[in-house]
Amino acid sequence: MKFGEYKKTSSKWITTLGNTYFPDYLPSALDIYRPYITHFFKLVDECSSSIELFREINTLTINNGRIQYLRIFRKYFAPNLPVEMLKKKNKETEIIAAYGSEFRKIELVKELHSKKEDEYDKILSAILYEYKDRGKKGYSLTTTFFKWFKLKFPDFEIKGPESAGTDLQLYDYLPKYKKHKTPTDFIIFDKNKKVLAVGYARYDSDRGGSQEDDRIGGNRDKVTLIRQYNKEQNAKVKVIFLNDGPGLLLGSMWDDYSEIESYGQGIALVTTLKMLDKRLTKEWLLN
C-alpha cells in the first residue's frame, strides 16, 4: 500500500505520546520550578533595574539554571522577545540596546509578585512545565525507531543521534555529494558501509498554516536533492520520512506527504511507527 491509501484509517496509524492532564501535574511542576522562581525573585530584590537583572542572569551558566531564569524573565519583563534570542549571551548588549527600553520596570514586578506570590508561583510553574518536554517526543520517536531498526535489520547499520545531538551532513557520507549543508537525522548503511537511505524523523503534536507549508516544501527539496544525486552518480539512495503524531491528521498533511512519496518515484517512503513493519522492508531498501 502507498502512504495515501492509509488515509481512510489514518487515526489508526498514529502514535500518541502521552501528555499529563491539568491540574494533575501541578505538584510536580511546583517541585521542579518553585526553587527557580524563589531564587529569581531573590535576584529581583537585589537588582535596581530590569536591565541589571538581565545582566545578572547572564552571568549564570546553563547548569546554574540560566535558561529557566530567562524564561521567567521573559514572562515578567519581556514577553515580546523569544527565549532563543534572550539566551544568546553574546547578544546581551545588542538586546539591551534594541529592547531594553521595553523591559518592564522592576519596581512594578516586585509589587505585583509580593501581592500574590503563592498564586503566581503556581501559575508560572504550570506554564514552565509546558516547556519541559518540548522536543522530547521527537527524541522518543527516534529512539523507538532506532531500537526497531536494529532488531529488524541486524545486518544493516543505522547512524545518527538517537535523542539530542548534532545532525549528520550528507556530504560527509555520500561520495561526491555537493558541498552544501544538507542535514539529516539518520543514515542507513548496508553491510559494506554503502549508504542505502537517509532519513528524517518528526513528531507533530500539532501543525498548521505556514509551518505545514514550510515542512512540506522542505521535504520535497530533500527528495529533489537525492534524485539529482542518484542521477549524477548512478546511485540508488532512498529517503525515509518517519512522521508521527496527531499533527499529521490536520489540514492537508496526509495528502501532502502522499504527494511527496509519489514525487520520489520509488525512492521516497513516508511512514509512522505503526506502519514500519508493513512499509520499511529489506526489499525496498535494496531495490
Side-chain angles (χ1 to χ4, degrees), residues 222-271:
K222 293 175 178 100
V223 175
T224 299
L225 287 169
I226 296 301
R227 282 178 57 181
Q228 290 174 347
Y229 175 82
N230 285 345
K231 183 177 180 180
E232 292 168 3
Q233 304 301 323
N234 193 28
K236 297 180 181 179
V237 178
K238 310 291 198 307
V239 190
I240 299 168
F241 296 103
L242 173 63
N243 272 72
D244 218 324
L248 198 58
L249 304 177
L250 302 177
S252 63
M253 286 285 277
W254 205 280
D255 292 335
D256 292 339
Y257 271 112
S258 178
E259 192 277 330
I260 285 176
E261 191 173 87
S262 298
Y263 174 70
Q265 296 180 359
I267 71 159
L269 179 82
V270 182
T271 182

Side-chain angles (χ1 to χ4, degrees), residues 150 152-157 189-192 282:
K150 289 172 183 177
K152 181 83 171 181
F153 303 108
D155 295 335
F156 295 160
E157 178 187 356
F189 306 84
D190 67 12
K191 59 184 178 182
N192 298 315
K282 186 174 183 178

Side-chain angles (χ1 to χ4, degrees), residues 189-231:
F189 306 84
D190 67 12
K191 59 184 178 182
N192 298 315
K193 306 297 182 182
K194 178 183 176 182
V195 174
L196 296 176
V198 302
Y200 301 88
R202 295 290 183 273
Y203 185 90
D204 288 325
S205 298
D206 204 346
R207 182 62 45 189
S210 60
Q211 284 182 313
E212 180 177 326
D213 295 338
D214 290 346
R215 170 73 58 80
I216 296 302
N219 286 343
R220 188 183 178 94
D221 290 343
K222 293 175 178 100
V223 175
T224 299
L225 287 169
I226 296 301
R227 282 178 57 181
Q228 290 174 347
Y229 175 82
N230 285 345
K231 183 177 180 180

